[in-house]
Every structure is written in C-alpha cells, then in structure tokens.
Amino acid sequence: EVRLVESGGDLVQPGRSLKLSCAASGFTFGEYAMHWVRQVPGKGLECVSGISWNSNTIAYAGSLEGRFTVSRDNAKNSLYLQMNSLRPEDTALYFCVKERGSYFSGAFDLWGQGTMVTVSS
Amino acid sequence: EIVLTQSPGTLSLSPGERATLSCRTSQSVSSRRLAWYQQRPGQAPRLLLYGSSNRATGIPDRFSGSGSGTDFTLTISRLEPEDFAVYYCQQYGTSFPWTFGQGTKVEIK
C-alpha cells in the first residue's frame, strides 16, 4: 500500500524543539521530492519546506526565519523536520507530502494523515 | 510570493447540480503549474487535477479544469454526495513557497 505516516507531533512550550518524522512505503521514496505542509485546524494550507530527491535542493517558507530544518534518509524511506524555537503560531497539523516530480516540479499526489504540533505554555 | 484568491468562499448547491469554482492568481502562472485539491472533513487533502486540467489517478471525469494566465476554473459537472468538501487551488514549480488559495467550501443546499 502506498502511504505516508507522520509521527512526532506533541504539545510543547514556546522556545522548545521538536522533530517530526515521516515513514514512506509502497513507492520508490528516493525518486521523489518531498514536502511538509501545515494547516491550522479549520484554516488553509501552507507550504513549510521541500527537499529534492537527492537533498541537493532545499527550500523553506520565508516566515520560518531559519528555525526549521528538513532532511531525508532515502535508505530508511524517511523524511524529517527539525523544528527549533517553536512559537504559538507554529501550532498546526503537519502533513508529509510526496511530489509528483523529483526536483520541485510537481503537484502533491500523496499526503499523510498529519501529526499535530501544539505550541503553548 | 504569488497570492491565490478563490471564489466564492462558499458554494451552496444540491446533488446533481454543476459547481464552478474560481482561482485567480496575483501574477501569471503557467497552466502546467496549477493544481486543485479536495479536502473532506477530518481527512488530508487529495490531488484532483494537476497542470490545471489533468486528472490525478482515480479521479472521476466529472471533475475538469481549465484556465490560463491568472484565471483558472474547477468544474464539477454533477455533484455527488461525496463531492461536498473544501477545494483548494495551488501554484507550484515556481519559486518557493508554493502557495494555496484560501479554499472554497461546497456545501449541500
């Protein structure tokens, strides 16, 4: 079965760190670019970060101000998002997403169910 | 950053009716770089169309898309009960961040 399963979401205090993981199965993970997209419950969708198939191209939303780091391990079919200096406005459901292409060129054709990150004191 | 504006915010229709959803971009977007997604309550978004008019795998042919430049349209020819959901347009493949519209909710009248 083709699927993406996120984990690592939690309730954390402002200023703390959190690392999200995404396990991919059912397709050749190493051939596709991957992304993180977040959604505040009841609100719209926001692209957070993307990484090409070989990790040579990485991009982030400007609003993150360098606090997040995306990485991948193709041998483990896994995608990660290291989130530092978390703020209340980072509270959202974080989706792991597969792109149709390898190099930031395709629409998002596979989504995980999301992992919830809540930043609150 | 390219801003996408969807209209209407909510569309109230009955099953069997035709739905027409609009997506306007703040600057010209290649029709090859425009996608539409459906999100049902409690579910992740699902890709419907990419390249403005190409249906994703498993998407029924009642969903169609068109447009160019700054104006794009998603049409659902005859609404089925499972089509009542929120729909998002997205531009991709340009400079990051790729952006989504704010969504159009299609609700049962």
Side-chain angles (χ1 to χ4, degrees), chain A residues 12-15 38-41 43 46 48 63-65 67-68 83 85-94 116-120:
Chain A
V12 296
Q13 294 180 328
R38 67 184 179 185
Q39 183 175 38
V40 174
K43 302 297 184 182
E46 179 187 18
V48 172
S63 61
L64 298 180
E65 300 177 352
R67 298 179 296 118
F68 291 9
M83 311 165 69
S85 303
L86 282 162
R87 303 169 179 171
E89 55 263 37
D90 295 319
T91 295
L93 185 64
Y94 284 73
M116 187 68 199
V117 174
T118 303
V119 184
S120 175

Side-chain angles (χ1 to χ4, degrees), chain B residues 51-100:
Chain B
S52 75
S53 61
N54 301 289
R55 281 186 295 276
T57 302
I59 302 303
D61 60 8
R62 64 179 180 273
F63 292 92
S64 63
S66 64
S68 63
T70 60
D71 289 291
F72 297 88
T73 300
L74 168 68
T75 301
I76 310 171
S77 59
R78 295 172 309 278
L79 284 165
E80 297 287 340
E82 62 268 27
D83 299 337
F84 292 92
V86 179
Y87 292 84
Y88 295 95
C89 58
Q90 179 209 25
Q91 61 85 20
Y92 60 91
T94 59
S95 57
F96 210 80
W98 301 348
T99 46
F100 293 88

